[in-house]
Amino acid sequence: MSITQDHDKLDSDLIATCVLGMIKEDPSLKISLIQERINGIFNYNISYRKAWKAKQKAITIEYGDWDESYVVLPSWLKHMQNHSPGSYYQICDDDFVVGNTVSREHRQFHRVFWTFGQCKEAFKYCKPVIQVDGTFMYGKYRGTLLIATTQDGNSHVLPLAFAVVEGETLTTWS
């Protein structure tokens, strides 16, 4: 028999540490499974909202914060360019406007393109065909991940370039 109410001390931080292993195994874990797990451990039924918050915190612990990921993106790409000869990237950002004022110290991410030098070099030995595909990104920030690929003589797929854009629009392709 379990108690049917939330416990004040059983907060989302504690629950996140309890389900971290489950999140590592399956980041798309259903909230109902988190609720079952906590009920099994503590004999308390937690609310859907508390389980959802705990899942978000566990994902942040395991994979990092969304905003932080965008902040470190330029340094990761610069590192890639420095250690992978011939690699190239371009980040497009916009003015960050607060009220009616443009912030001088902040920029707003718009889109990014990158390619690895090794992929550019390997393209010389591939079929002269480029295929582009996109997939929608879900989560806090929406967008589309575009991937340009080709095939070698043995029909193996070779990625050529990647881009994260706001969507598959006419301006995105230019």
Side-chain angles (χ1 to χ4, degrees):
M1 177 168 196
S2 67
I3 298 175
T4 59
Q5 68 217 21
D6 277 344
H7 191 287
D8 291 341
K9 300 293 183 190
L10 191 55
D11 64 0
S12 58
D13 292 323
L14 177 61
I15 296 167
T17 60
C18 293
V19 299
L20 188 57
M22 295 170 68
I23 296 297
K24 284 181 184 179
E25 218 172 277
D26 181 13
S28 64
L29 184 71
K30 293 186 177 184
I31 302 301
S32 60
L33 293 176
I34 294 173
Q35 290 174 307
E36 285 178 27
R37 171 74 180 260
I38 297 306
N39 184 286
I41 295 172
F42 297 107
N43 207 26
Y44 275 94
N45 290 328
I46 60 169
S47 68
Y48 184 93
R49 177 174 165 74
K50 190 177 280 189
W52 182 86
K53 285 178 69 176
K55 179 181 176 182
Q56 298 309 307
K57 288 180 180 182
I59 288 172
T60 299
I61 291 167
E62 180 62 23
Y63 300 105
D65 181 70
W66 287 97
D67 297 328
E68 184 181 303
S69 295
Y70 280 100
V71 169
V72 299
L73 181 63
S75 62
W76 276 101
L77 291 170
K78 187 69 173 166
H79 184 77
M80 173 204 67
Q81 191 175 41
N82 290 339
H83 295 326
S84 178
S87 295
Y88 174 79
Y89 74 92
Q90 182 176 5
I91 298 176
C92 297
D93 50 21
D94 296 326
D95 292 333
F96 185 73
V97 179
V98 180
N100 290 331
T101 308
V102 175
S103 172
R104 293 188 182 268
E105 61 262 359
H106 295 93
R107 301 288 295 165
Q108 185 172 355
F109 176 83
H110 188 65
R111 61 177 82 147
V112 63
F113 166 86
W114 73 98
T115 184
F116 299 101
Q118 298 88 337
C119 296
K120 290 185 340 187
E121 189 64 30
F123 181 64
K124 296 176 185 176
Y125 307 99
C126 292
K127 297 174 184 175
V129 175
I130 296 176
Q131 301 141 340
V132 179
D133 194 12
T135 185
F136 298 109
M137 298 183 338
Y138 299 98
K140 184 174 181 180
Y141 300 107
R142 306 286 179 169
T144 303
L145 171 65
L146 299 175
I147 304 172
T149 61
T150 189
Q151 290 184 349
D152 65 12
N154 295 322
S155 296
H156 294 126
V157 176
L158 173 73
L160 293 174
F162 307 86
V164 175
V165 297
E166 63 276 8
E168 290 187 75
T169 63
L170 189 58
T171 56
T172 300
W173 293 99
S174 57

